[in-house]
Amino acid sequence: MSLTEKYLSQQSSDILAGLRNADKFWKAIKEGKIEPDRVVAKNQEKLDKYDTDVVICGGTLGILLGASLQQTGWQVTLIEKGVLEGREQEWNISRQELEVFLELKLLTKAELDRAIATEYNPARVSFLGGKEVWVKDVLNIGVDPVYLLEILKQKFIKAGGNLLENSAFETATVHPDGVAIVAGETKLTTRLLIDAMGHFSPIVKQFRNGIKPDAVCVVVGSCAKGYTENSTGDLIYSFTPIINNCQYFWEAFPARDGRTTYMFSYLDAHFQRPSLEYFMEEYLRLLPEYQNIELEQLQFERFLFGFFPAYHNSPLTIPCDRLLPIGDSAGGQSPVSFGGFGAMIRHLKRLTDGVSEALRTDSLSSKDLALLQPYQPNISVTWLFQQTMSVGVNKNPDPNQINNLMSGVFAVMDKLGDGVLKPFLQDVIQFVPLAKTLPLVNPKLVLPIIPQVGINPLVNWLVHYFNLALYSGLYPLGKSLKPIADNLSTKQQYFYHRWLDAWQYGSGKDYHQ
């Protein structure tokens, strides 16, 4: 019996069957056998009326935007295929990122404090053979999803929001003046349909048209009690060389139910890549060495597994009016991050303001809505980072190549200080910190990576790097034009605000220490 079978079969839920079902999906993706859904159609007849301003499909993260829009004054319907409730596993985030809940008046200070389940300091960054770097106040807050989603759900309903639980999205028909939606037994019409159903949304599957992701982050882990040391965390840590063309990275966070540990690896979707069950077996094999404890000493509360696809063609633009993907559905997160809660929180105010303005000015065409999910060079430059942390199938690099490079890069950023290090660790790439870091990295660490990455990705990266510098300059220039923009028509102001948002977020200027 494998370690995976031994420990996962001890859980009350059939988590082992869930792992193997996820593996079937992962196998289908690797083999290019994902059939696109056909759930969105067009109809040239007018609806002449609609039931609600906005329908959001996918409640787990959709409730964040739904509650904000409803509070702003729009009539919102939220569709969730099951019961809208949070999971037991905490979401880790930095405290300053949570301030948006207060800014948008979604939570009171007391409610936000109650939503915080755990807080710890410091966190470690370290790679095999390198020095340990310790940072404070980065991803050190564990948010309780059960409480957070329940309080937002109550406020959403109290404000007049319409919540349809146990109503799986089925189809959407786009008309010139609205969208007709079928979800279970419910039929309704809306001015705008927002897809918050995640990476594997049926709408996303239709418009991705079955193409394989360009990159994947595979994650396995657990939450367990019994650890002797649980006061600090790891943001990214490695203690092994490249194994089976995979570099294993680790994360660890103190949690309310014990200690959460993850092992993750950056891959492509080549058909020879290992299964999730293989990664879970490796995780359990190496966990004792990582945490200096035997598996028999641990009481596993739950196991976690999944994979996060990333596409060069992101954020996804849907060639239909009145349909907007957000969050993981849009694929706008960095290929080196897990997306999800943190990425949604970062853009919550921008999306609230942008969607509201789109509704006010009737800017609901495909081109208008595409401006709400713009190209962001600070995200695009991270594709090269993802490639330097992954190894192609049948490649034979130096087993410590990735560890050596990562150690060198983080040693430089540590010397440059928190102003360089902290934004990077929160997936915010800014031009000046990046420009300070790159010249100081030892060329002997970089040169071996070039054959692995290839010339074309390097050229593409230079384009994004140039655009990062350009956006960094355009944002303050754009802000200075506000007195002129105030005299524009409301439609023209919509375009001005969207470009200003693109320059701000695309240059990392939205980040606040």
Side-chain angles (χ1 to χ4, degrees), residues 293-329:
I293 195 169
E294 297 301 321
L295 294 179
E296 290 75 15
Q297 296 176 257
L298 298 175
Q299 177 187 337
F300 289 100
E301 297 293 312
R302 51 190 167 270
F303 286 92
L304 314 156
F305 50 84
F307 54 94
F308 303 92
Y311 299 84
H312 287 302
N313 180 25
S314 293
L316 177 64
T317 299
I318 292 181
C320 291
D321 298 340
R322 301 179 180 275
L323 211 166
L324 174 68
I326 64 168
D328 293 343
S329 295

Side-chain angles (χ1 to χ4, degrees), residues 30-42:
K30 291 186 292 182
E31 294 177 351
K33 294 181 178 178
I34 297 297
E35 291 295 327
D37 294 318
R38 299 299 175 191
V39 295
V40 177
K42 295 181 181 181

Side-chain angles (χ1 to χ4, degrees), residues 154-330:
Q154 292 174 7
K155 291 191 173 195
F156 174 71
I157 294 172
K158 187 176 180 180
N162 182 26
L163 175 61
L164 300 178
E165 296 180 303
N166 298 308
S167 301
F169 167 82
E170 293 181 12
T171 63
T173 303
V174 180
H175 296 259
D177 57 346
V179 184
I181 298 159
V182 177
E185 300 297 319
T186 303
K187 295 181 179 180
L188 70 162
T189 56
T190 182
R191 292 179 64 198
L192 175 65
L193 171 60
I194 294 178
D195 177 7
M197 292 182 283
H199 293 294
F200 307 112
S201 151
I203 295 175
V204 170
K205 286 168 70 176
Q206 174 172 339
F207 292 104
R208 291 286 185 197
N209 200 30
I211 66 169
K212 292 171 67 170
D214 297 296
V216 176
C217 179
V218 172
V219 184
V220 293
S222 71
C223 183
K225 295 178 180 177
Y227 290 100
T228 54
E229 171 54 45
N230 194 27
S231 60
T232 63
D234 286 335
L235 297 180
I236 182 167
Y237 182 82
S238 69
F239 59 96
T240 57
I242 295 167
I243 299 172
N244 193 18
N245 294 98
C246 299
Q247 178 65 65
Y248 301 152
F249 299 106
W250 296 75
E251 279 186 324
F253 303 107
R256 179 177 46 193
D257 296 333
R259 185 170 180 82
T260 298
T261 54
Y262 298 105
M263 186 187 85
F264 60 98
S265 189
Y266 298 112
L267 316 169
D268 54 25
H270 193 281
F271 71 92
Q272 292 181 354
R273 290 299 189 181
S275 66
L276 291 174
E277 189 164 347
Y278 167 87
F279 283 108
M280 184 65 77
E281 188 72 12
E282 287 288 89
Y283 165 78
L284 291 169
R285 178 179 72 86
L286 292 167
L287 182 59
E289 182 180 354
Y290 173 44
Q291 292 292 294
N292 193 28
I293 195 169
E294 297 301 321
L295 294 179
E296 290 75 15
Q297 296 176 257
L298 298 175
Q299 177 187 337
F300 289 100
E301 297 293 312
R302 51 190 167 270
F303 286 92
L304 314 156
F305 50 84
F307 54 94
F308 303 92
Y311 299 84
H312 287 302
N313 180 25
S314 293
L316 177 64
T317 299
I318 292 181
C320 291
D321 298 340
R322 301 179 180 275
L323 211 166
L324 174 68
I326 64 168
D328 293 343
S329 295

Side-chain angles (χ1 to χ4, degrees), residues 52-54 65-76 159-161 191 352 356 359-360:
T52 185
D53 293 310
V54 182
L65 181 59
S68 186
L69 289 173
Q70 184 67 40
Q71 183 174 273
T72 304
W74 301 106
Q75 184 57 51
V76 180
R191 292 179 64 198
T352 299
S356 293
L359 290 166
R360 280 198 309 272

Side-chain angles (χ1 to χ4, degrees), residues 488-505:
L488 298 174
S489 68
T490 55
K491 186 77 170 184
Q492 290 171 324
Q493 285 185 25
Y494 172 80
F495 292 118
Y496 165 73
H497 292 144
R498 300 295 73 77
W499 278 107
L500 197 61
D501 284 347
W503 296 332
Q504 180 184 15
Y505 283 78

